[in-house]
Amino acid sequence: MPLVKGKILIKDAIKRNYAIPAFGIVNLEGAKAAIEAAEELNAPIILQTTEGGINYAGHEELAAIAIASAKKAKVPVAVHLDHGRNIKYHKRSLELGYTSLMIDGSTLPFEENIKITNKVKSLIKDQDISLEAELGMIGGKEDDIEEEADHFTKVEDAIKFINNTNIDMLAIACGTSHGFYVKEPKINISLIKEIYDKTKKPLVLHGGTGVPLNQITKAVKAGIRKANFDSELKKAIICGILEYMYKNPDAFDLRKIFQEGINQAKEVAKLKIKAVQADGKNWLR
């Protein structure tokens, strides 16, 4: 049963200097693409769901897909709640068997962010569940905020936040944005390294879609230990389905139609796994 605690994945990533690729899913096809890519490259991964995805597909339904997929996988897989802003999603995720949580209080005043983070932390006391929080504004579709230097995570804030929460992972704003980019992003590698060096905490890169692979690798070397990918895989599924239907306009077998979407998303996932240097890091063998 390779469903594992998020803490175990992150500890290994710290030890061997790579990042865990975390793939957002809203359906079975997304989970299959991520798991198949991970198994082909012998990589540990995270399957994660957002409040929006849960509202679309149902919390129980998405949890069942993610957890069943993880338990059948040949590689270590954690199941994570991404951008959980409402405490009720954290409570239900724990009941359903999630092994990692993210509390997103980044839009709140600094002290309120600390307060709500500690509130979620109290929910997972003695459960060995990993907790991620966010500091700074990572704009894009999640927050509808333009990516500007003023929203970057400040080193002194990161130090204070971690000292007051002792979270397992910290998502920082360093030049990325959720969704697709209008222009090529430029990650502030020096900021990542400075925060990592001064806090000694694993950092999380949000908005990995569309970021040049070499930038992702540099970010990992600077201290990123979890990297999120979502929109690009969803688009790959759609493109695969459209291409199949263009070539087979009379097709109606959903298994064949969706399989092409899975195949294309899997190839995208493999690129991301290699970029974060997680390939070959399967420690279950």
Side-chain angles (χ1 to χ4, degrees):
M1 296 174 64
L3 173 66
V4 299
K5 302 287 187 180
K7 281 190 176 182
I8 296 175
L9 290 187
I10 296 302
K11 284 180 181 178
D12 190 68
I14 295 170
K15 180 180 178 181
R16 296 200 275 173
N17 298 313
Y18 68 98
I20 305 296
F23 299 107
I25 65 166
V26 294
N27 57 15
L28 174 63
E29 288 69 34
K32 286 176 68 68
I35 294 289
E36 288 178 14
E39 289 181 336
E40 288 187 21
L41 294 180
N42 255 318
I45 65 167
I46 292 172
L47 295 180
Q48 55 188 32
T49 65
T50 63
E51 290 184 7
I54 288 168
N55 292 339
Y56 163 73
H59 210 154
E60 291 78 7
E61 292 83 351
L62 269 188
I65 290 171
I67 291 172
S69 298
K71 287 182 176 180
K72 291 174 59 180
K74 300 174 183 176
V75 294
V77 181
V79 175
H80 176 79
L81 173 66
D82 190 37
H83 286 288
R85 294 184 174 91
N86 192 311
I87 298 295
K88 71 176 183 179
Y89 290 92
H90 293 87
K91 291 180 178 179
R92 187 58 179 145
S93 293
L94 291 172
E95 292 172 351
L96 292 170
Y98 282 57
T99 60
S100 182
L101 302 174
M102 178 199 178
I103 173 62
D104 183 0
S106 61
T107 60
L108 300 173
F110 186 81
E111 295 299 331
E112 288 299 312
N113 194 353
I114 289 176
K115 184 177 179 180
I116 195 171
T117 298
N118 283 328
K119 186 174 182 179
V120 175
K121 189 176 178 182
S122 68
L123 294 176
I124 57 176
K125 186 178 180 181
D126 302 325
Q127 293 190 54
D128 203 29
I129 301 292
S130 58
L131 181 61
E132 173 187 342
E134 182 175 319
L135 190 61
M137 297 292 189
I138 303 173
K141 69 174 184 179
E142 291 287 345
D143 301 302
D144 197 25
I145 296 171
E146 294 292 333
E147 53 184 282
E148 299 175 2
D150 289 346
H151 297 302
F152 282 12
T153 304
K154 293 179 175 60
V155 178
E156 58 271 25
D157 287 345
I159 294 171
K160 182 179 178 181
F161 188 86
I162 287 171
N163 286 341
N164 282 275
T165 60
N166 194 30
I167 51 170
D168 300 295
M169 302 173 276
L170 180 65
I172 62 171
C174 57
T176 58
S177 177
H178 297 103
F180 288 95
Y181 295 94
V182 177
K183 58 183 178 180
E184 184 175 301
K186 292 183 179 179
I187 300 178
N188 191 331
I189 302 298
S190 62
L191 177 62
I192 295 172
K193 189 175 189 308
E194 185 176 5
I195 293 176
Y196 187 71
D197 288 345
K198 292 186 177 180
T199 65
K200 307 301 181 184
K201 281 289 182 180
L203 303 178
V204 182
L205 183 73
H206 283 237
T209 286
V211 177
L213 298 178
N214 65 329
Q215 282 198 48
I216 291 174
T217 302
K218 288 179 181 178
V220 171
K221 291 180 179 179
I224 293 297
R225 293 295 173 261
K226 174 177 177 278
N228 291 8
F229 307 101
D230 189 318
S231 302
E232 206 167 352
L233 271 72
K234 290 175 181 174
K235 186 174 181 180
I237 291 175
I238 294 169
C239 287
I241 291 172
L242 291 175
E243 287 180 18
Y244 186 90
M245 291 306 299
Y246 179 78
K247 295 175 182 177
N248 305 275
D250 296 324
F252 61 88
D253 189 333
L254 293 179
R255 295 167 298 179
K256 294 179 180 178
I257 296 169
F258 289 166
Q259 185 60 55
E260 188 56 35
I262 293 170
N263 293 343
Q264 292 206 22
K266 178 176 69 175
E267 294 307 311
V268 172
K270 286 165 69 174
L271 292 176
K272 309 306 181 184
I273 289 171
K274 291 178 180 178
V276 301
Q277 302 184 316
D279 48 314
K281 300 299 194 302
N282 177 10
W283 36 261
L284 287 176
R285 295 184 304 169

